[in-house]
Amino acid sequence: MSQTSPSPRPYIGGQAVLEGVMMRAPKSFAVVLRRRDGSLQVRERAMDLGVKGAARWPFLRGIATLVESLRLGGEALRFSADWLERDLAAEEAAAAGPGLGVLTAFGLSLFAWATADATGDAPPPREARRSGGWIMLVVALAFLVALPQGAAAGINRVLHLGLEVQSAPFQAITGALKLVIVVGYLLAIRRVPEIRRVFQYHGAEHKTISTYEAGLALTVANARPQTTMHPRCGTTFLVMVALVSIVVFTGIGALLPRIHTGSALADNAIFLVEKLPFLPVLVAVTFELQRVLARYCAAGPMRALLAPGFLVQKITTAEPDDDQLEVALASLRVTLFRQEHGEAAAAAGDDDVAFPTYEALLSAGRLRQAARAA
C-alpha cells in the first residue's frame, strides 16, 4: 500500500487483495479482480478530493491518510472476497479446489463480520461501522501493543532482569519484540497458498506503480523487469512504526508518572494504558519520516536507510506471473480513465463492469462501453 508520491505525476496508491489489485488516485478509486474464468471484474468510482483543511497539515495528514487507506482497503477486500465466494459457489464441489484455507477463511470471516454492510448495497449504519472499527482497533492494539509488552514482561521475569516497566531497556526489548512478532507473523502467513498469491499481487502492484512513475507504457513487457520493492509500501510503514516506537517509548517512558503498585501485572497494564495516547503520534511521525525518505533516499547511498523496510517487503511481495501483472496494470488503467481523461471517459454510472481480457480493456475508449456485470 503506497503512502505518498514524490513524482510530478498524479498520486497513485495501491493495495493487493484476493485475486486482484486496488488502485487509487486523486479522482478515482478502482479494483480489478481476476475471475475464475479468466475475465476481469472491475469496480470504479469517483474519489473525493482527499483530506481537506487541518487534515492536510504535517503530522495530521499521516493519521488522515491512514484512515482513508484502511477504509478503501476494506472496501476492496470485501469486493474481492464477495466475487471469490460467488465463483467458488458456482463451481462443482469436486472442482472447487482447496478453497480459502483455514487461516485465510478465518481472517476474511472476521473482517467481513466487523465491516459487513447492513443491506449489501448501502453503507452500514453508523453504529455498525463504529462497532466494526472498535473490533479491528482492539485486535490491532492486542497484537501490536499488548502482546509485545506482555512478552517483554515475560522475558524480564524469566531472566530475572529486574527492569522497571518504564525503563529504557524494558521499552527497547518491547520494541524489538514488536518487530519480531510482526515479521514472524508475516513469515507464517506467507506459507498459506492463498496469502502467497496476495503477496504476488502485491509485487505486481509495485511493478505497475514503478512502470507508471517511470513514464513507460502500461504493458506487461515494461512492468515485468521492474522491482517488487517500493519505498512507499505499507510494509515499510509498518516496520518503521515498530522502529520509531522503540525510540519514542524508550525516551518518554521515564518521563511518565512512576508506577509502583507492587504487582508486575498491574504495572504493565497501567503503563500500557499510558502509552495509548501516543499511538497517533507514532503514526504521524512515521508518516512524515517515510515521506522524507521516499523523496530523498530512494536512490544513492542514502537508500540504505530504507533497507529494513525492503527486507520485510521481500516477505510481503513475491514475483508475479504475467496474468497477475495484467490485473495490476488493468487496475491502474481503469483508474486513469477518470484521472487523465475526465468524467466522460469513466462516468455513465458507477456500475461494476467486466472485460473478457486485458487487451479488451486496453482497447476500450470508455470504461463502461463494456457489457455491465450481471
Side-chain angles (χ1 to χ4, degrees):
M1 179 176 63
S2 304
Q3 304 293 332
T4 60
S5 177
S7 171
R9 288 169 168 267
Y11 158 76
I12 298 291
Q15 179 176 325
V17 293
L18 288 167
E19 298 300 333
V21 173
M22 176 270 285
M23 292 282 182
R24 68 188 189 277
K27 296 181 181 179
S28 179
F29 163 81
V31 190
V32 175
L33 309 176
R34 177 73 74 181
R35 298 282 303 279
R36 306 275 286 191
D37 61 4
S39 65
L40 299 177
Q41 189 71 32
V42 178
R43 168 168 293 180
E44 188 272 349
R45 61 174 173 79
M47 276 280 291
D48 295 332
L49 294 180
V51 296
K52 303 175 183 178
R56 299 178 62 184
W57 296 354
F59 297 101
L60 293 181
R61 62 190 173 191
I63 300 171
T65 299
L66 179 61
V67 170
E68 180 190 52
S69 296
L70 292 173
R71 177 177 62 84
L72 295 178
E75 179 179 343
L77 184 54
R78 289 196 300 274
F79 176 65
S80 65
D82 178 59
W83 275 106
L84 181 58
E85 182 181 358
R86 293 189 199 185
D87 282 350
L88 290 175
E91 296 177 352
E92 294 293 333
L100 296 179
V102 176
L103 181 58
T104 311
F106 173 76
L108 287 175
S109 297
L110 176 63
F111 185 89
W113 178 69
T115 60
D117 291 351
T119 64
D121 296 320
R126 182 175 302 178
E127 293 78 8
R129 293 198 301 267
R130 186 178 301 161
S131 62
W134 277 111
I135 291 169
M136 300 309 293
L137 178 61
V138 169
V139 171
L141 291 177
F143 186 74
L144 296 175
V145 181
L147 181 58
Q149 183 165 314
I155 291 176
N156 187 34
R157 181 175 181 179
V158 170
L159 299 182
H160 305 289
L161 299 179
L163 300 175
E164 291 188 1
V165 66
Q166 293 170 266
S167 67
F170 186 94
Q171 292 309 307
I173 293 173
T174 301
L177 287 172
K178 183 182 301 182
L179 195 57
V180 168
I181 289 170
V182 169
V183 172
Y185 173 74
L186 293 174
L187 284 170
I189 65 173
R190 183 183 171 91
R191 299 177 64 87
V192 179
E194 293 79 20
I195 298 297
R196 181 173 175 80
R197 284 189 60 80
V198 174
F199 287 173
Q200 286 181 288
Y201 279 108
H202 190 194
E205 174 227 325
H206 284 182
K207 284 174 176 280
T208 295
I209 291 178
S210 294
T211 302
Y212 172 76
E213 291 179 339
L216 302 175
L218 298 179
T219 65
V220 171
N222 286 336
R224 194 184 295 122
Q226 302 296 326
T227 177
T228 59
M229 306 291 105
H230 200 284
R232 300 191 313 274
C233 177
T235 301
T236 297
F237 180 80
L238 188 61
V239 172
M240 290 179 65
V241 166
L243 295 175
V244 170
S245 71
I246 296 176
V247 176
V248 171
F249 290 128
T250 297
I252 69 172
L255 302 179
L256 295 175
R258 308 302 294 178
I259 304 170
H260 295 290
T261 65
S263 168
L265 179 60
D267 289 353
N268 272 279
I270 294 172
F271 188 63
L272 181 64
V273 173
E274 288 186 337
K275 289 164 65 175
L276 295 182
F278 294 93
L279 296 183
V281 177
L282 287 180
V283 171
V285 171
T286 304
F287 179 87
E288 299 299 330
L289 180 60
Q290 185 179 21
R291 185 183 177 93
V292 171
L293 292 179
R295 184 179 295 270
Y296 300 109
C297 304
M302 298 297 288
R303 188 177 174 86
L305 296 174
L306 295 169
F310 286 152
L311 285 174
V312 182
Q313 281 187 52
K314 290 183 178 295
I315 302 174
T316 64
T317 63
E319 195 66 30
D321 59 31
D322 286 357
D323 285 345
Q324 292 166 326
L325 280 173
E326 283 186 353
V327 171
L329 291 164
S331 185
L332 179 53
R333 168 64 174 162
V334 168
T335 304
L336 296 179
F337 273 113
R338 191 183 302 269
Q339 182 63 37
E340 294 185 348
H341 304 297
E343 297 286 333
D350 288 333
D351 295 343
D352 297 344
V353 295
F355 293 86
T357 64
Y358 179 54
E359 290 73 19
L361 188 152
L362 286 180
S363 63
R366 289 181 53 173
L367 175 60
R368 291 181 174 85
Q369 283 183 337
R372 295 184 177 182

Tab-separated table of all heavy atoms in Angstrom, residues 45-94:
chain	number	residue	atom	x	y	z
A	45	ARG	N	-15.086	4.048	-9.195
A	45	ARG	CA	-15.959	5.153	-8.812
A	45	ARG	C	-15.117	6.394	-8.575
A	45	ARG	O	-13.893	6.327	-8.405
A	45	ARG	CB	-16.761	4.819	-7.551
A	45	ARG	CG	-15.933	4.535	-6.312
A	45	ARG	CD	-16.844	4.372	-5.116
A	45	ARG	NE	-16.132	3.939	-3.914
A	45	ARG	CZ	-15.416	4.735	-3.128
A	45	ARG	NH1	-15.289	6.020	-3.436
A	45	ARG	NH2	-14.822	4.266	-2.060
A	46	ALA	N	-15.799	7.531	-8.576
A	46	ALA	CA	-15.101	8.789	-8.338
A	46	ALA	C	-14.643	8.869	-6.887
A	46	ALA	O	-15.313	8.386	-5.977
A	46	ALA	CB	-16.020	9.965	-8.669
A	47	MET	N	-13.491	9.483	-6.699
A	47	MET	CA	-12.952	9.710	-5.370
A	47	MET	C	-13.196	11.150	-4.966
A	47	MET	O	-13.205	12.061	-5.796
A	47	MET	CB	-11.442	9.447	-5.355
A	47	MET	CG	-11.079	7.993	-5.159
A	47	MET	SD	-11.191	7.523	-3.422
A	47	MET	CE	-9.810	8.435	-2.748
A	48	ASP	N	-13.383	11.353	-3.658
A	48	ASP	CA	-13.357	12.711	-3.149
A	48	ASP	C	-11.960	13.280	-3.368
A	48	ASP	O	-11.002	12.548	-3.638
A	48	ASP	CB	-13.697	12.721	-1.655
A	48	ASP	CG	-15.126	12.271	-1.401
A	48	ASP	OD1	-15.966	12.464	-2.306
A	48	ASP	OD2	-15.391	11.714	-0.316
A	49	LEU	N	-11.825	14.556	-3.227
A	49	LEU	CA	-10.522	15.180	-3.463
A	49	LEU	C	-9.534	14.906	-2.348
A	49	LEU	O	-8.416	15.404	-2.372
A	49	LEU	CB	-10.707	16.700	-3.640
A	49	LEU	CG	-11.493	17.099	-4.886
A	49	LEU	CD1	-11.618	18.602	-4.961
A	49	LEU	CD2	-10.853	16.546	-6.151
A	50	GLY	N	-9.930	14.099	-1.373
A	50	GLY	CA	-8.991	13.733	-0.315
A	50	GLY	C	-9.181	14.577	0.924
A	50	GLY	O	-10.172	15.284	1.100
A	51	VAL	N	-8.207	14.485	1.806
A	51	VAL	CA	-8.293	15.201	3.065
A	51	VAL	C	-8.225	16.697	2.819
A	51	VAL	O	-7.592	17.177	1.884
A	51	VAL	CB	-7.153	14.757	4.014
A	51	VAL	CG1	-7.315	13.298	4.368
A	51	VAL	CG2	-5.796	14.990	3.379
A	52	LYS	N	-8.914	17.456	3.660
A	52	LYS	CA	-9.001	18.897	3.482
A	52	LYS	C	-8.727	19.594	4.807
A	52	LYS	O	-8.743	18.984	5.873
A	52	LYS	CB	-10.392	19.281	2.966
A	52	LYS	CG	-10.786	18.597	1.657
A	52	LYS	CD	-12.221	18.933	1.277
A	52	LYS	CE	-12.643	18.199	0.009
A	52	LYS	NZ	-14.052	18.467	-0.359
A	53	GLY	N	-8.502	20.895	4.717
A	53	GLY	CA	-8.338	21.716	5.917
A	53	GLY	C	-7.150	21.284	6.761
A	53	GLY	O	-6.060	20.990	6.262
A	54	ALA	N	-7.393	21.222	8.075
A	54	ALA	CA	-6.324	20.900	9.012
A	54	ALA	C	-5.770	19.499	8.795
A	54	ALA	O	-4.623	19.211	9.139
A	54	ALA	CB	-6.827	21.036	10.450
A	55	ALA	N	-6.580	18.610	8.198
A	55	ALA	CA	-6.114	17.243	7.959
A	55	ALA	C	-4.987	17.187	6.936
A	55	ALA	O	-4.360	16.143	6.774
A	55	ALA	CB	-7.276	16.373	7.497
A	56	ARG	N	-4.699	18.296	6.250
A	56	ARG	CA	-3.603	18.325	5.292
A	56	ARG	C	-2.320	18.840	5.931
A	56	ARG	O	-1.276	18.849	5.279
A	56	ARG	CB	-3.978	19.218	4.100
A	56	ARG	CG	-5.199	18.754	3.337
A	56	ARG	CD	-5.546	19.700	2.202
A	56	ARG	NE	-4.474	19.775	1.222
A	56	ARG	CZ	-4.486	20.583	0.164
A	56	ARG	NH1	-5.532	21.387	-0.032
A	56	ARG	NH2	-3.496	20.599	-0.689
A	57	TRP	N	-2.380	19.257	7.163
A	57	TRP	CA	-1.195	19.771	7.822
A	57	TRP	C	-0.205	18.648	8.115
A	57	TRP	O	-0.604	17.493	8.319
A	57	TRP	CB	-1.567	20.468	9.121
A	57	TRP	CG	-2.423	21.691	8.949
A	57	TRP	CD1	-2.798	22.289	7.777
A	57	TRP	CD2	-3.031	22.458	9.987
A	57	TRP	NE1	-3.598	23.369	8.009
A	57	TRP	CE2	-3.762	23.501	9.367
A	57	TRP	CE3	-3.039	22.353	11.377
A	57	TRP	CZ2	-4.475	24.442	10.098
A	57	TRP	CZ3	-3.747	23.291	12.113
A	57	TRP	CH2	-4.456	24.322	11.483
A	58	PRO	N	1.100	18.954	8.126
A	58	PRO	CA	2.083	17.937	8.520
A	58	PRO	C	1.723	17.319	9.864
A	58	PRO	O	1.244	18.005	10.765
A	58	PRO	CB	3.395	18.742	8.600
A	58	PRO	CG	3.188	19.860	7.622
A	58	PRO	CD	1.728	20.227	7.736
A	59	PHE	N	1.957	16.038	9.981
A	59	PHE	CA	1.675	15.200	11.145
A	59	PHE	C	0.189	14.840	11.245
A	59	PHE	O	-0.137	13.686	11.495
A	59	PHE	CB	2.178	15.839	12.449
A	59	PHE	CG	3.670	16.004	12.473
A	59	PHE	CD1	4.255	17.227	12.217
A	59	PHE	CD2	4.487	14.917	12.716
A	59	PHE	CE1	5.630	17.370	12.220
A	59	PHE	CE2	5.871	15.043	12.715
A	59	PHE	CZ	6.453	16.276	12.467
A	60	LEU	N	-0.715	15.777	11.001
A	60	LEU	CA	-2.129	15.411	10.986
A	60	LEU	C	-2.476	14.625	9.731
A	60	LEU	O	-3.334	13.742	9.753
A	60	LEU	CB	-3.010	16.658	11.084
A	60	LEU	CG	-2.969	17.441	12.397
A	60	LEU	CD1	-3.910	18.635	12.328
A	60	LEU	CD2	-3.320	16.548	13.576
A	61	ARG	N	-1.794	14.929	8.631
A	61	ARG	CA	-2.123	14.262	7.369
A	61	ARG	C	-1.788	12.780	7.407
A	61	ARG	O	-2.405	11.985	6.692
A	61	ARG	CB	-1.393	14.945	6.212
A	61	ARG	CG	0.133	14.899	6.304
A	61	ARG	CD	0.758	15.794	5.268
A	61	ARG	NE	2.210	15.904	5.449
A	61	ARG	CZ	2.973	16.782	4.811
A	61	ARG	NH1	2.418	17.629	3.964
A	61	ARG	NH2	4.277	16.830	5.022
A	62	GLY	N	-0.816	12.384	8.210
A	62	GLY	CA	-0.476	10.973	8.299
A	62	GLY	C	-1.622	10.155	8.855
A	62	GLY	O	-1.935	9.065	8.346
A	63	ILE	N	-2.260	10.662	9.907
A	63	ILE	CA	-3.388	9.956	10.511
A	63	ILE	C	-4.564	9.915	9.542
A	63	ILE	O	-5.214	8.872	9.363
A	63	ILE	CB	-3.791	10.636	11.828
A	63	ILE	CG1	-2.605	10.616	12.813
A	63	ILE	CG2	-5.001	9.963	12.448
A	63	ILE	CD1	-2.821	11.429	14.054
A	64	ALA	N	-4.850	11.052	8.871
A	64	ALA	CA	-5.956	11.103	7.915
A	64	ALA	C	-5.721	10.143	6.745
A	64	ALA	O	-6.647	9.459	6.296
A	64	ALA	CB	-6.128	12.529	7.396
A	65	THR	N	-4.485	10.070	6.262
A	65	THR	CA	-4.168	9.183	5.144
A	65	THR	C	-4.316	7.724	5.545
A	65	THR	O	-4.824	6.898	4.776
A	65	THR	CB	-2.737	9.444	4.649
A	65	THR	OG1	-2.631	10.791	4.185
A	65	THR	CG2	-2.374	8.501	3.512
A	66	LEU	N	-3.887	7.397	6.765
A	66	LEU	CA	-4.015	6.018	7.230
A	66	LEU	C	-5.483	5.609	7.333
A	66	LEU	O	-5.868	4.506	6.918
A	66	LEU	CB	-3.326	5.860	8.584
A	66	LEU	CG	-3.407	4.460	9.211
A	66	LEU	CD1	-2.735	3.439	8.306
A	66	LEU	CD2	-2.775	4.450	10.598
A	67	VAL	N	-6.317	6.493	7.860
A	67	VAL	CA	-7.745	6.189	7.979
A	67	VAL	C	-8.361	5.971	6.603
A	67	VAL	O	-9.121	5.020	6.386
A	67	VAL	CB	-8.465	7.334	8.727
A	67	VAL	CG1	-9.980	7.148	8.652
A	67	VAL	CG2	-8.016	7.385	10.173
A	68	GLU	N	-8.015	6.841	5.647
A	68	GLU	CA	-8.548	6.689	4.296
A	68	GLU	C	-8.068	5.380	3.661
A	68	GLU	O	-8.842	4.671	3.005
A	68	GLU	CB	-8.118	7.862	3.420
A	68	GLU	CG	-8.643	7.760	1.988
A	68	GLU	CD	-8.030	8.785	1.061
A	68	GLU	OE1	-6.789	8.878	1.013
A	68	GLU	OE2	-8.791	9.483	0.375
A	69	SER	N	-6.798	5.027	3.860
A	69	SER	CA	-6.265	3.796	3.278
A	69	SER	C	-6.971	2.572	3.840
A	69	SER	O	-7.287	1.627	3.102
A	69	SER	CB	-4.760	3.703	3.553
A	69	SER	OG	-4.054	4.756	2.920
A	70	LEU	N	-7.232	2.578	5.141
A	70	LEU	CA	-7.932	1.453	5.747
A	70	LEU	C	-9.362	1.351	5.226
A	70	LEU	O	-9.873	0.253	4.978
A	70	LEU	CB	-7.930	1.601	7.270
A	70	LEU	CG	-6.573	1.451	7.965
A	70	LEU	CD1	-6.698	1.782	9.445
A	70	LEU	CD2	-6.008	0.055	7.773
A	71	ARG	N	-10.012	2.483	5.035
A	71	ARG	CA	-11.391	2.490	4.547
A	71	ARG	C	-11.465	1.935	3.124
A	71	ARG	O	-12.274	1.056	2.814
A	71	ARG	CB	-11.959	3.909	4.593
A	71	ARG	CG	-13.367	4.038	4.050
A	71	ARG	CD	-13.875	5.457	4.207
A	71	ARG	NE	-13.075	6.421	3.472
A	71	ARG	CZ	-13.234	6.698	2.179
A	71	ARG	NH1	-14.168	6.058	1.478
A	71	ARG	NH2	-12.493	7.599	1.579
A	72	LEU	N	-10.597	2.430	2.246
A	72	LEU	CA	-10.609	1.970	0.859
A	72	LEU	C	-10.139	0.529	0.743
A	72	LEU	O	-10.687	-0.256	-0.043
A	72	LEU	CB	-9.718	2.884	0.003
A	72	LEU	CG	-10.174	4.331	-0.138
A	72	LEU	CD1	-9.176	5.125	-0.959
A	72	LEU	CD2	-11.559	4.412	-0.753
A	73	GLY	N	-9.130	0.169	1.540
A	73	GLY	CA	-8.663	-1.213	1.519
A	73	GLY	C	-9.728	-2.169	1.993
A	73	GLY	O	-9.867	-3.284	1.459
A	74	GLY	N	-10.519	-1.757	2.977
A	74	GLY	CA	-11.618	-2.588	3.450
A	74	GLY	C	-12.668	-2.800	2.384
A	74	GLY	O	-13.176	-3.920	2.192
A	75	GLU	N	-13.009	-1.749	1.654
A	75	GLU	CA	-13.992	-1.880	0.578
A	75	GLU	C	-13.472	-2.813	-0.513
A	75	GLU	O	-14.208	-3.662	-1.030
A	75	GLU	CB	-14.298	-0.504	-0.020
A	75	GLU	CG	-15.297	-0.548	-1.165
A	75	GLU	CD	-15.604	0.819	-1.742
A	75	GLU	OE1	-15.309	1.829	-1.080
A	75	GLU	OE2	-16.149	0.876	-2.863
A	76	ALA	N	-12.194	-2.670	-0.855
A	76	ALA	CA	-11.612	-3.521	-1.899
A	76	ALA	C	-11.590	-4.985	-1.476
A	76	ALA	O	-11.868	-5.882	-2.280
A	76	ALA	CB	-10.197	-3.037	-2.233
A	77	LEU	N	-11.266	-5.236	-0.215
A	77	LEU	CA	-11.213	-6.617	0.259
A	77	LEU	C	-12.594	-7.247	0.301
A	77	LEU	O	-12.771	-8.417	-0.058
A	77	LEU	CB	-10.555	-6.666	1.640
A	77	LEU	CG	-10.347	-8.058	2.233
A	77	LEU	CD1	-9.578	-8.948	1.275
A	77	LEU	CD2	-9.633	-7.968	3.576
A	78	ARG	N	-13.603	-6.492	0.706
A	78	ARG	CA	-14.967	-7.027	0.704
A	78	ARG	C	-15.412	-7.362	-0.715
A	78	ARG	O	-16.056	-8.381	-0.958
A	78	ARG	CB	-15.934	-6.021	1.337
A	78	ARG	CG	-15.772	-5.860	2.850
A	78	ARG	CD	-16.978	-5.164	3.458
A	78	ARG	NE	-17.188	-3.838	2.915
A	78	ARG	CZ	-16.600	-2.724	3.365
A	78	ARG	NH1	-15.729	-2.800	4.367
A	78	ARG	NH2	-16.868	-1.562	2.833
A	79	PHE	N	-15.077	-6.489	-1.662
A	79	PHE	CA	-15.440	-6.701	-3.060
A	79	PHE	C	-14.781	-7.971	-3.602
A	79	PHE	O	-15.434	-8.813	-4.240
A	79	PHE	CB	-15.004	-5.478	-3.872
A	79	PHE	CG	-15.221	-5.592	-5.354
A	79	PHE	CD1	-16.495	-5.677	-5.894
A	79	PHE	CD2	-14.135	-5.590	-6.224
A	79	PHE	CE1	-16.688	-5.770	-7.268
A	79	PHE	CE2	-14.316	-5.684	-7.597
A	79	PHE	CZ	-15.595	-5.770	-8.122
A	80	SER	N	-13.492	-8.144	-3.336
A	80	SER	CA	-12.784	-9.317	-3.850
A	80	SER	C	-13.272	-10.599	-3.184
A	80	SER	O	-13.453	-11.629	-3.850
A	80	SER	CB	-11.280	-9.154	-3.639
A	80	SER	OG	-10.942	-9.122	-2.256
A	81	ALA	N	-13.513	-10.553	-1.875
A	81	ALA	CA	-13.991	-11.750	-1.178
A	81	ALA	C	-15.381	-12.151	-1.661
A	81	ALA	O	-15.690	-13.341	-1.802
A	81	ALA	CB	-14.004	-11.507	0.329
A	82	ASP	N	-16.211	-11.165	-1.957
A	82	ASP	CA	-17.569	-11.456	-2.422
A	82	ASP	C	-17.544	-12.173	-3.769
A	82	ASP	O	-18.247	-13.170	-3.967
A	82	ASP	CB	-18.363	-10.147	-2.526
A	82	ASP	CG	-19.771	-10.369	-3.055
A	82	ASP	OD1	-20.513	-11.123	-2.426
A	82	ASP	OD2	-20.114	-9.772	-4.099
A	83	TRP	N	-16.720	-11.679	-4.714
A	83	TRP	CA	-16.675	-12.306	-6.029
A	83	TRP	C	-16.009	-13.672	-5.975
A	83	TRP	O	-16.411	-14.599	-6.699
A	83	TRP	CB	-15.951	-11.396	-7.026
A	83	TRP	CG	-16.885	-10.394	-7.626
A	83	TRP	CD1	-16.956	-9.061	-7.349
A	83	TRP	CD2	-17.901	-10.638	-8.593
A	83	TRP	NE1	-17.948	-8.465	-8.070
A	83	TRP	CE2	-18.542	-9.404	-8.851
A	83	TRP	CE3	-18.326	-11.776	-9.266
A	83	TRP	CZ2	-19.591	-9.291	-9.752
A	83	TRP	CZ3	-19.367	-11.666	-10.167
A	83	TRP	CH2	-19.993	-10.435	-10.408
A	84	LEU	N	-14.998	-13.835	-5.121
A	84	LEU	CA	-14.378	-15.147	-4.994
A	84	LEU	C	-15.371	-16.152	-4.431
A	84	LEU	O	-15.446	-17.301	-4.880
A	84	LEU	CB	-13.142	-15.061	-4.090
A	84	LEU	CG	-12.363	-16.360	-3.889
A	84	LEU	CD1	-11.895	-16.925	-5.220
A	84	LEU	CD2	-11.180	-16.138	-2.957
A	85	GLU	N	-16.168	-15.716	-3.472
A	85	GLU	CA	-17.190	-16.596	-2.905
A	85	GLU	C	-18.220	-16.983	-3.964
A	85	GLU	O	-18.646	-18.134	-4.044
A	85	GLU	CB	-17.867	-15.907	-1.727
A	85	GLU	CG	-18.920	-16.756	-1.034
A	85	GLU	CD	-19.577	-16.025	0.125
A	85	GLU	OE1	-19.170	-14.870	0.405
A	85	GLU	OE2	-20.496	-16.591	0.731
A	86	ARG	N	-18.611	-16.019	-4.803
A	86	ARG	CA	-19.563	-16.324	-5.874
A	86	ARG	C	-18.995	-17.368	-6.842
A	86	ARG	O	-19.689	-18.307	-7.252
A	86	ARG	CB	-19.904	-15.057	-6.653
A	86	ARG	CG	-20.687	-14.011	-5.881
A	86	ARG	CD	-21.142	-12.923	-6.832
A	86	ARG	NE	-21.491	-11.698	-6.121
A	86	ARG	CZ	-22.008	-10.627	-6.714
A	86	ARG	NH1	-22.227	-10.644	-8.023
A	86	ARG	NH2	-22.294	-9.549	-6.024
A	87	ASP	N	-17.727	-17.182	-7.226
A	87	ASP	CA	-17.126	-18.102	-8.183
A	87	ASP	C	-17.004	-19.504	-7.608
A	87	ASP	O	-17.276	-20.501	-8.298
A	87	ASP	CB	-15.750	-17.592	-8.603
A	87	ASP	CG	-15.831	-16.456	-9.618
A	87	ASP	OD1	-16.939	-16.205	-10.132
A	87	ASP	OD2	-14.792	-15.825	-9.898
A	88	LEU	N	-16.587	-19.582	-6.350
A	88	LEU	CA	-16.450	-20.890	-5.723
A	88	LEU	C	-17.809	-21.577	-5.570
A	88	LEU	O	-17.934	-22.791	-5.752
A	88	LEU	CB	-15.774	-20.750	-4.352
A	88	LEU	CG	-14.294	-20.361	-4.364
A	88	LEU	CD1	-13.797	-20.148	-2.940
A	88	LEU	CD2	-13.452	-21.412	-5.062
A	89	ALA	N	-18.823	-20.790	-5.236
A	89	ALA	CA	-20.160	-21.362	-5.067
A	89	ALA	C	-20.732	-21.855	-6.385
A	89	ALA	O	-21.551	-22.779	-6.410
A	89	ALA	CB	-21.087	-20.325	-4.442
A	90	ALA	N	-20.313	-21.247	-7.490
A	90	ALA	CA	-20.849	-21.611	-8.795
A	90	ALA	C	-20.211	-22.869	-9.362
A	90	ALA	O	-20.711	-23.443	-10.332
A	90	ALA	CB	-20.658	-20.458	-9.779
A	91	GLU	N	-19.112	-23.302	-8.792
A	91	GLU	CA	-18.406	-24.477	-9.291
A	91	GLU	C	-18.873	-25.734	-8.557
A	91	GLU	O	-19.370	-25.675	-7.433
A	91	GLU	CB	-16.902	-24.295	-9.126
A	91	GLU	CG	-16.340	-23.145	-9.952
A	91	GLU	CD	-14.852	-22.950	-9.708
A	91	GLU	OE1	-14.326	-23.605	-8.787
A	91	GLU	OE2	-14.244	-22.149	-10.424
A	92	GLU	N	-18.674	-26.849	-9.194
A	92	GLU	CA	-18.965	-28.118	-8.538
A	92	GLU	C	-17.992	-28.313	-7.384
A	92	GLU	O	-16.830	-27.918	-7.462
A	92	GLU	CB	-18.813	-29.273	-9.533
A	92	GLU	CG	-19.823	-29.277	-10.663
A	92	GLU	CD	-21.228	-29.546	-10.153
A	92	GLU	OE1	-21.340	-30.212	-9.088
A	92	GLU	OE2	-22.185	-29.087	-10.783
A	93	ALA	N	-18.442	-28.943	-6.315
A	93	ALA	CA	-17.590	-29.128	-5.138
A	93	ALA	C	-16.303	-29.860	-5.477
A	93	ALA	O	-15.234	-29.554	-4.963
A	93	ALA	CB	-18.350	-29.895	-4.056
A	94	ALA	N	-16.372	-30.795	-6.398
A	94	ALA	CA	-15.182	-31.572	-6.733
A	94	ALA	C	-14.160	-30.750	-7.488
A	94	ALA	O	-12.974	-31.080	-7.486
A	94	ALA	CB	-15.567	-32.786	-7.574
